[in-house]
Amino acid sequence: TGHAAPVLAVALAPDGQRAIAASRDKTIRVWDTETGVAQHCLTGHNDAVSSIALSPDGQYLVSGSYDSSVRMWDLTSGEELEILVGHTAGVNAVAWTPDGTRIISGAYDQTLRVWDRASAESLQLLRGHTGSVNGIAVTADGRGVISASADSTLKLWDLDEGIEIRSFSGHTDEVNAVAVLSPDQFISASADRTLRIWNLTRETATRVLRGHSYQVWGVAVTAEGKQAVSAGGDTTIVVWDLTAFMP
């Protein structure tokens, strides 16, 4: 307990000792997972906090909000470190590169931005979607990012060059979420009630997963990439065995 409105995103620290929740009440709360006691209440956003992501070392937290800003926090002290300004509409998704040097955000303004963690400067503005960017996932090698959009497509971008490498088509409605499965595969979740498995080198899906009776809001993958868990508007959570689809 503690939030005064619905929770929109959660994250777990790498050591498992802290859980972080972002809420429509404009705050982020950091909880001790053993005691259940709130360690910090992070305030600063002026609208709902839609997304959060922890740095690889668990030291920093980045948050995206419908106030159009991205903010970086020190997870230990609870101090706000930076405000990343550039998006012109609400931010839906945030992520870190594996080396912790860059932050990526996706927003309702149909763009992605790549930020330098140290300077808080915008390094790249990625344009190409014709609908809001709903989800993002950084590739295993940290050189690319995959975006999921309301325009029903996914796109692969080169983070260094700031260019679109490939567009992936197949979903028939908004794509709500995306997660990396392996160095060359990823999975997406859509309002068309399906999940799809893709190869980074092919523009069409290699597998379509059906099971939900309403739109699929989110998808997460186990560390070894052998199982995926999807959450649907049909009030169900489905666990998928992906071993049969692995190369």
Side-chain angles (χ1 to χ4, degrees):
T1 61
H3 283 294
V7 173
L8 300 181
V10 292
L12 189 64
D15 60 9
Q17 295 181 3
R18 287 172 290 187
I20 304 95
S23 171
R24 282 193 183 275
D25 68 9
K26 309 176 188 179
T27 73
I28 304 159
R29 291 179 185 263
V30 182
W31 307 85
D32 184 304
T33 55
E34 185 174 341
T35 65
V37 174
Q39 297 177 333
H40 301 293
C41 180
L42 312 182
T43 59
H45 282 296
N46 300 312
D47 205 335
V49 186
S50 60
S51 52
I52 50 177
L54 280 160
S55 60
D57 62 6
Q59 184 176 354
Y60 303 108
L61 180 77
V62 65
S63 58
S65 168
Y66 294 155
D67 67 10
S68 304
S69 77
V70 176
R71 296 176 188 244
M72 187 168 67
W73 314 79
D74 184 299
L75 197 60
T76 301
S77 67
E79 177 187 1
E80 181 182 274
L81 301 176
E82 300 286 355
I83 304 175
L84 312 181
V85 178
H87 284 295
T88 58
V91 178
N92 289 320
V94 290
W96 293 81
T97 54
D99 61 6
T101 63
R102 289 176 290 185
I103 296 162
I104 302 96
S105 54
Y108 277 110
D109 63 12
Q110 305 179 4
T111 72
L112 295 89
R113 284 185 179 265
V114 183
W115 310 86
D116 180 72
R117 188 205 65 79
S119 67
E121 295 295 322
S122 179
L123 301 174
Q124 304 283 0
L125 173 61
L126 310 181
R127 297 181 183 272
H129 282 296
T130 57
S132 66
V133 180
N134 296 332
I136 53 179
V138 179
T139 57
D141 61 10
R143 298 171 60 186
V145 63
I146 307 156
S147 53
S149 173
D151 64 14
S152 79
T153 72
L154 298 107
K155 293 182 183 293
L156 172 65
W157 309 83
D158 185 303
L159 286 176
D160 293 322
E161 300 296 329
I163 59 173
E164 179 184 327
I165 299 173
R166 189 165 288 108
S167 185
F168 305 88
S169 299
H171 283 297
T172 58
D173 207 332
E174 290 195 31
V175 189
N176 293 322
V178 59
V180 169
L181 290 176
S182 68
D184 60 354
Q185 288 188 305
F186 63 96
I187 187 170
S188 57
S190 170
D192 67 9
R193 307 180 185 181
T194 72
L195 294 99
R196 294 175 189 245
I197 296 175
W198 312 78
N199 189 291
L200 289 173
T201 62
R202 295 178 56 181
E203 295 178 355
T204 56
T206 59
R207 183 75 59 163
V208 180
L209 307 181
R210 293 182 171 90
H212 286 285
S213 60
Y214 196 70
Q215 69 171 300
V216 190
W217 287 109
V219 61
V221 178
T222 56
E224 70 281 1
K226 293 181 179 180
Q227 290 182 315
V229 182
S230 57
D234 56 9
T235 71
T236 69
I237 291 175
V238 179
V239 181
W240 305 88
D241 181 357
L242 304 179
T243 54
F245 313 140
M246 296 292 102

